[in-house]
Structures are given as C-alpha cells and as structure tokens.
Amino acid sequence: MKYIVTGGAGFIGYRLISNLLVSGHSVIAIDNLCRGSLSNIAEFSGDPNFSFHQVNLDNYDELIDALPPFGNLYIDAVWHLAANSDIPAGVKDAAVDLRDTFMTTFNVLRYMQAAKIPELFFASTSAVYGDHGDNELTELTSPLRPISNYGAMKLASEAQICAACESFLRRALIFRFPNVVGTPATHGVIYDFVNKLKINPNELDVLGDGSQQKSYLHVSELVDAMQFLVENTNKKYDVFNIGPDQDSGVTVKFIAQTVLNIACPNAKIKYGLGSKGWVGDVPRFNYSIAKIRDLGWAPKMKSQQTIELAVREIFEELSR
Amino acid sequence: MKYIVTGGAGFIGYRLISNLLVSGHSVIAIDNLCRGSLSNIAEFSGDPNFSFHQVNLDNYDELIDALPPFGNLYIDAVWHLAANSDIPAGVKDAAVDLRDTFMTTFNVLRYMQAAKIPELFFASTSAVYGDHGDNELTELTSPLRPISNYGAMKLASEAQICAACESFLRRALIFRFPNVVGTPATHGVIYDFVNKLKINPNELDVLGDGSQQKSYLHVSELVDAMQFLVENTNKKYDVFNIGPDQDSGVTVKFIAQTVLNIACPNAKIKYGLGSKGWVGDVPRFNYSIAKIRDLGWAPKMKSQQTIELAVREIFEELSR
C-alpha cells in the first residue's frame, strides 16, 4: 500500500511509519517540523519506500506544490496525525487549533478529493467528549461537549470527515486516543516533568493539585491498535476509542512520583491548586474500549505500567 | 438590552430584530448582504435603537473596523445567525461552509472575547444529527454524523462555542432548527418552487422522488421560541431542538402540490430519482422538542399548516 502520513516527523508519526515500512508499505511523510523533527525520521532516509516533504498543511498551496502532480501518483490512504499538541496554547489562542488542528484536516480532505485518495485514518481524541466525570466514555456517549479548543477542533475535524464520507471518501476511520506516551517524546506531562527537574533538581512544580486522573496508552500499543482496526473493519465511517482496558487511569501525583523516583529521588513535589491543570483540562475520565475489544484487540499494559515504562524511556532519551 | 444580530438582514434576522426592537431592546445588525438585503430591514432605518453595518464576518478586521471601539460599547449578547444557507453549494465546495458557516462563528467568538460580550445565542441546525432514519432526534441523540458540510460546520461551531464557555463566555444557548419557512424568503424549497414556476408555468421540476419528509417551522414561531429560551433558561451551556411538536413532517410532494394549487393549478410536477434531493440531504427525520416543551413552549402550527401559510406568504411576496 502507498500511504501519506501527516505529522510524520512527530512522536506517533515516527512509530507508525516505522511499522508501515517494516510491513512493506511505502510512505510519503509530511510535517511542518514545528514539533516533529528530522532526527526522529533520520533512520528512514535511505529507504526507497520513504520520502519526506516539509509542508505547512494549513496552507493548501504548499501541499500541492510539495507533492507530485495528481496524475503521477496513486495513494491508497492518508493517515492524518498532524495537529497542535499543546492544548493550553490552543486555549490561550484559538487560532492555534484552528490552524493546526482543523485547517490541516480541511486541507487534507481537499487534497484527497482532488487527488482521488479513497481512505482516511484520523487521529482524534478523548477530548471530543468533554468532562463527563466518572461516567464511562463509549463511542456513543452524548452530548459531546469539548472544553478545550483542541477538543473542539478535533470534533470539527471528525464532522468534516463524516460529511466527506457522504460525498467523496470511500472510507474513514476515526481513532479517539486518550493521552499517549512514549518516545520520541516531544511534549506531554512526563516530558515536562523531566525537563523541569533538569532546570531545578530540588523541586518539581505541578499544575493543579495532582488529583487529575487519566488513562495513558503507550505509543507502541496505539500504533498496533490503529493497524488492527484498518485491517479488521470495513464500515464506510467508523469511530473507535483506543486506550487501556478496564482501567480508570493514574493520577498526576503518581506520574510526578514515578518521574521523581527515577530522575531525582530527593526532590520535593510542589502542587498547585484545583483539580484542573489548566483551562480546558478534563480532570478525570473513564474510558471504555469495549468496541475495539469486541473485535479482538486489547492493550497489554494498564496505565500504571505504561507510565512506568514511558518514564524510563523518556528519562533515558532526555539524558542522552 | 443591547444586542448584536449577525445575519441581521436575512430571513430570520429580520423577524428577530423586529421582535427585539418592539420589546424595547437595541440592536446592532451585521450582514454581508450576500443573501440578506437592505430592503428587508429598511423599515428599521429611522429607529434610534437600530444600526446596521455591512461586514464580511469571515474577515475579522472588517468586523473590528465596522464596530465602535471596545471601550465605547457595552453589548449584552450576540445573536449569531449569519451562515451559508445554500446547503448544496456547500457540498459542492467545502470552502463555502468553512467561510460562511464556521469562520463567522470563529470570528464572532474572537470578537466577543476581546469586547467582553458575555452571552451568545446561536442558530444551529438539525443537520448536525445526520441521517438517523425514523429514530426520534433528541438533544442527546448519538452519534452526531452530519452528512453535509453545512451540518459539519454547524457542529464545529457548536464545539467551538462549548469550549469558549469553559474559558470566557458566561452563557451560550444553542438552538437546533429544522427547516424554517416564511417571509422575507431568500432561499428554500418553497422559494425555489415558486421561482421555477415563474420561469416555466407548465411544469415543476422536483429534485428527488418527492418522498423526502421533513419538519417545517414557521419563522414567527422560531423567533418566539428563541426568545422564550433566552428568558426561561440559565445554564452556562444548553442545547435545544426547536421545531413542530409531535409531527413527522410533510413530504416534498405535499409542498410541490401546495405550491401548484396556489401558483399554477394546471402545471405538471416532474419528479427526479431517489429519496435525496442532493448529496448531503437528510431524506427524513423525526424531531423531538420534548425538552423545550417541558419548559412550557410549544408551537401552534404543525408542519402542514406551516407550509400552507408559508406558501401563501411567499407566493404573495414574489408576486409583488
């Protein structure tokens, strides 16, 4: 198969491309290198099945200019991962998620229609649900009330993709991720904690009171799940939660302590106030993956193991 | 109260402003006059409580330039009605609904944050639900799967408004309308049929086989319902279906026949194929208004009476 992977130089993009190439597919990676980096994908550079284009996807003309003319390439599907990954930045300035989370999707769809690419696999998020307290979140949970601009623009993207399925796409698969961790880390709570401790090894400042409780999935399991769904489903439009199984997550306090144990066992943790790390932060959620589990996929790790593994990996990466 | 009404020179805008001025409120109307027209609002021009600004809301700078500087005006709320109203045009070219249905909302929110306007009343649509066949559509119906870019960009707008409630809006009310009819008509099935018969009084061409069955609400009842909800609800974010009560709607066949009876009783109706008028058309839906009814509001007319009244009004308007 021939794929385009947007956000291909990012954290999840790297892992996905690695798997796709090993499986014998060919990949055109696109990234604006804003958070992604060429060093993440350097190992693919000699592979004849791999090419990379630096493109700001919010600019349609850049996309058209970068890729070969439509007639000269047949692409089976786009994996659309490109998006803003700094949720607080998007809450501060709505233009960030408009540009990086929604307009990227809009332009990918426009390109797919013009280039007649039939299938889209889309990285969405648990943030489309908003704050439902302890209620279990299934793909049918209602109402959808995103509380961050990131969640809003992911929901907007899903909506636009759904409409595109009615008019020109042959198939679209929507993956709703919880928090994903692992390497090559470019952002996220573990990455932030390790970096903060490098600056001040005596004290770790935590946003919020540490009681925020969330599910975490390791990037290797996420990529495995997405590939499983591509191969084992065939609806024109379908939506799947992907996350740890029957797991109510771990607290920020647990993550802070795990980072401390490895990085600076003698440092002190200083908590902030309130259960939210920032405006738009969903303080706790309870994620159901029954739909994908019923198809035969389940992750091997719980949030706790995932965090412990990712902390070791990220600490090692940042210590190099 | 001091209000901004976007889409103020349009079909629903005219009726709303008329009511607001009668109730003693003052209104700043905004419209790009693309479908709305100055003749619709000519009767308000001498009113000291009314002003009009021609603005393309997809351009934020135009909005800022048109209105008085932030410090000089206190606005209680925005009624945001501006949107694309030509659904097939938006399906043909996604840029239409991006610009007119979503970017208008995005810029209205940006302006409200800057100008510290606390409340937003938003004209959304039954099209956010997509095609659920005969299942009753309540505000909690799930999943939301819009099949037109119009529905997608209204859902995107709702999502962005919901996130804004978390960060700066004091209150937002979302109204999901079915098809709304009445005068001053600028578009819609009755308007199209009457105009087609003017061009060819012998034959009326109908898109689809005429079996599409939808609910219709008269614009006067819609405006009444919106004002009722503004006065009788107080949640930070709330969503209401507004439509006829316990009414499965009327068919396009019924509308065509009603128009014929008044306009050209001897003309023949020529139907197309299929149950959809166009890509993105939801062929039938069954709308629940139990939520607003429980608060004490219900419309006086069913879809059938609404259509009969609107056909007479629109025929008379277009015969002038």
Side-chain angles (χ1 to χ4, degrees):
Chain A
M1 297 284 215
K2 192 155 182 131
Y3 293 124
I4 290 176
V5 177
T6 74
F11 161 51
I12 299 171
Y14 160 76
R15 291 285 183 135
L16 174 65
I17 291 171
S18 183
N19 278 20
L20 293 174
L21 292 173
V22 166
S23 308
H25 303 303
S26 67
V27 172
I28 300 173
I30 289 175
D31 205 295
N32 65 359
L33 300 180
C34 170
R35 284 193 175 257
S37 100
L38 285 181
S39 64
N40 288 343
I41 51 174
E43 70 182 76
F44 311 137
S45 63
D47 193 322
N49 287 325
F50 178 80
S51 66
F52 172 77
H53 301 274
Q54 184 173 353
V55 174
N56 284 301
L57 272 175
D58 64 302
N59 183 333
Y60 186 66
D61 293 335
E62 270 194 38
L63 178 59
I64 291 285
D65 289 347
L67 295 181
F70 297 147
N72 296 1
L73 84 173
Y74 178 82
I75 306 279
D76 293 282
V78 176
W79 296 80
H80 176 39
L81 311 179
N84 171 44
S85 55
D86 184 347
I87 301 182
V91 169
K92 243 186 201 161
D93 178 4
V96 171
D97 280 303
L98 171 65
R99 183 189 66 210
D100 295 345
T101 307
F102 181 67
M103 287 308 301
T104 53
T105 306
F106 188 86
N107 285 334
V108 162
L109 286 169
R110 187 174 166 196
Y111 181 78
M112 291 179 74
Q113 183 169 26
K116 299 191 168 52
I117 303 175
E119 303 198 3
L120 177 61
F121 311 130
F122 177 63
S124 191
T125 169
S126 59
V128 301
Y129 294 108
D131 190 350
H132 291 256
D134 287 326
N135 294 322
E136 200 179 45
L137 298 175
T138 77
E139 293 82 354
L140 292 175
T141 290
S142 160
L144 300 180
R145 296 213 173 150
I147 61 172
S148 63
N149 292 325
Y150 173 75
M153 291 297 91
K154 283 288 190 185
L155 180 51
S157 296
E158 289 192 10
Q160 191 72 12
I161 292 166
C162 186
C165 269
E166 181 74 10
S167 102
F168 64 88
L169 282 184
R170 195 172 64 201
R171 178 189 183 204
L173 257 174
I174 308 291
F175 312 117
R176 290 180 179 161
F177 315 160
N179 299 279
V180 182
V181 290
T183 50
T186 59
H187 62 280
V189 59
I190 301 174
Y191 183 81
D192 288 346
F193 284 173
V194 173
N195 278 321
K196 277 180 178 179
L197 282 170
K198 287 191 150 190
I199 295 166
N200 181 357
N202 300 314
E203 192 175 86
L204 176 61
D205 240 347
V206 173
L207 292 173
D209 61 11
S211 70
Q212 308 105 288
Q213 181 157 345
K214 300 181 190 176
S215 299
Y216 293 86
L217 185 68
H218 195 270
V219 62
S220 58
E221 305 219 78
L222 171 70
V223 167
D224 190 45
M226 292 195 294
Q227 290 187 284
F228 173 86
L229 288 171
V230 166
E231 285 159 20
N232 292 280
T233 66
N234 56 15
K235 277 197 193 152
K236 194 172 179 66
Y237 182 86
D238 217 346
V239 179
F240 288 88
N241 287 347
I242 302 178
D245 197 15
Q246 293 167 320
D247 170 325
S248 58
V250 297
T251 61
V252 167
K253 201 171 270 185
F254 173 81
I255 300 173
Q257 198 56 58
T258 307
V259 171
L260 230 64
N261 292 347
I262 287 187
C264 299
N266 297 320
K268 282 191 174 146
I269 304 178
K270 197 179 137 201
Y271 292 103
L273 297 173
S275 68
K276 293 194 177 192
W278 58 80
V279 173
D281 187 25
V282 177
R284 55 193 296 128
F285 63 88
N286 181 7
Y287 216 51
S288 165
I289 64 154
K291 189 172 170 186
I292 184 173
R293 198 194 324 114
D294 288 350
L295 289 180
W297 185 90
K300 295 182 183 67
M301 293 185 282
K302 303 258 179 201
S303 289
Q304 188 175 330
Q305 297 161 277
T306 295
I307 288 294
E308 285 164 349
L309 173 60
V311 166
R312 284 196 303 276
E313 290 172 337
I314 293 172
F315 179 70
E316 193 185 310
E317 178 190 70
L318 294 177
S319 304
R320 263 181 229 142
Chain B
M1 298 288 216
K2 191 154 183 137
Y3 293 124
I4 289 176
V5 177
T6 74
F11 161 51
I12 299 170
Y14 160 77
R15 290 287 183 133
L16 173 65
I17 292 171
S18 183
N19 278 21
L20 293 174
L21 292 174
V22 165
S23 307
H25 304 302
S26 68
V27 171
I28 299 173
I30 289 175
D31 205 295
N32 65 359
L33 300 179
C34 170
R35 286 193 174 258
S37 101
L38 284 180
S39 64
N40 287 342
I41 50 173
E43 67 182 81
F44 311 136
S45 64
D47 192 322
N49 287 325
F50 177 79
S51 66
F52 172 77
H53 301 273
Q54 185 173 352
V55 173
N56 284 301
L57 272 175
D58 64 301
N59 182 334
Y60 186 66
D61 293 334
E62 269 194 38
L63 177 60
I64 292 285
D65 289 347
L67 296 181
F70 297 148
N72 297 359
L73 83 172
Y74 177 82
I75 307 279
D76 293 280
V78 175
W79 295 80
H80 176 39
L81 311 180
N84 171 43
S85 54
D86 184 346
I87 300 181
V91 170
K92 243 186 202 162
D93 179 3
V96 172
D97 280 303
L98 171 65
R99 184 189 66 212
D100 294 345
T101 306
F102 180 67
M103 287 309 301
T104 53
T105 305
F106 187 87
N107 285 334
V108 161
L109 286 169
R110 187 174 167 195
Y111 181 79
M112 291 180 74
Q113 183 169 25
K116 299 189 168 54
I117 303 175
E119 302 197 4
L120 176 60
F121 311 131
F122 177 62
S124 190
T125 169
S126 58
V128 300
Y129 294 107
D131 190 350
H132 291 256
D134 287 326
N135 294 324
E136 200 178 46
L137 299 174
T138 77
E139 293 82 353
L140 292 174
T141 290
S142 161
L144 300 181
R145 297 215 171 148
I147 62 173
S148 64
N149 291 325
Y150 173 76
M153 291 297 92
K154 283 289 189 185
L155 179 53
S157 296
E158 289 192 10
Q160 191 71 12
I161 293 167
C162 187
C165 268
E166 182 74 9
S167 101
F168 63 89
L169 282 184
R170 195 172 64 202
R171 178 191 183 205
L173 255 173
I174 309 291
F175 312 118
R176 290 180 180 160
F177 315 159
N179 298 279
V180 182
V181 291
T183 51
T186 59
H187 62 280
V189 58
I190 302 173
Y191 183 82
D192 288 345
F193 284 173
V194 173
N195 277 321
K196 277 182 176 177
L197 283 170
K198 285 189 153 193
I199 294 166
N200 181 358
N202 299 315
E203 193 174 85
L204 176 62
D205 240 346
V206 173
L207 292 174
D209 63 10
S211 70
Q212 308 105 292
Q213 182 158 343
K214 299 180 191 176
S215 299
Y216 294 86
L217 185 68
H218 195 270
V219 62
S220 58
E221 305 218 79
L222 171 71
V223 168
D224 190 46
M226 292 195 293
Q227 291 188 283
F228 173 86
L229 289 171
V230 166
E231 285 159 19
N232 292 281
T233 66
N234 56 16
K235 277 196 193 151
K236 194 171 180 68
Y237 182 86
D238 216 347
V239 179
F240 287 89
N241 287 348
I242 303 178
D245 197 14
Q246 292 168 321
D247 171 325
S248 58
V250 297
T251 61
V252 168
K253 201 171 268 185
F254 173 81
I255 300 173
Q257 199 56 59
T258 308
V259 171
L260 230 67
N261 291 347
I262 287 187
C264 298
N266 298 320
K268 282 191 176 146
I269 304 178
K270 197 180 138 200
Y271 291 103
L273 296 173
S275 68
K276 294 193 177 192
W278 58 81
V279 174
D281 188 25
V282 178
R284 52 192 300 128
F285 62 89
N286 181 7
Y287 216 51
S288 164
I289 63 154
K291 189 172 171 187
I292 182 173
R293 196 194 327 113
D294 288 350
L295 288 179
W297 185 90
K300 296 183 183 68
M301 293 185 283
K302 301 260 178 198
S303 289
Q304 187 175 331
Q305 297 162 280
T306 295
I307 288 295
E308 286 164 348
L309 173 60
V311 167
R312 284 198 302 277
E313 289 172 338
I314 293 172
F315 180 70
E316 194 184 308
E317 179 190 70
L318 294 176
S319 304
R320 265 181 226 141

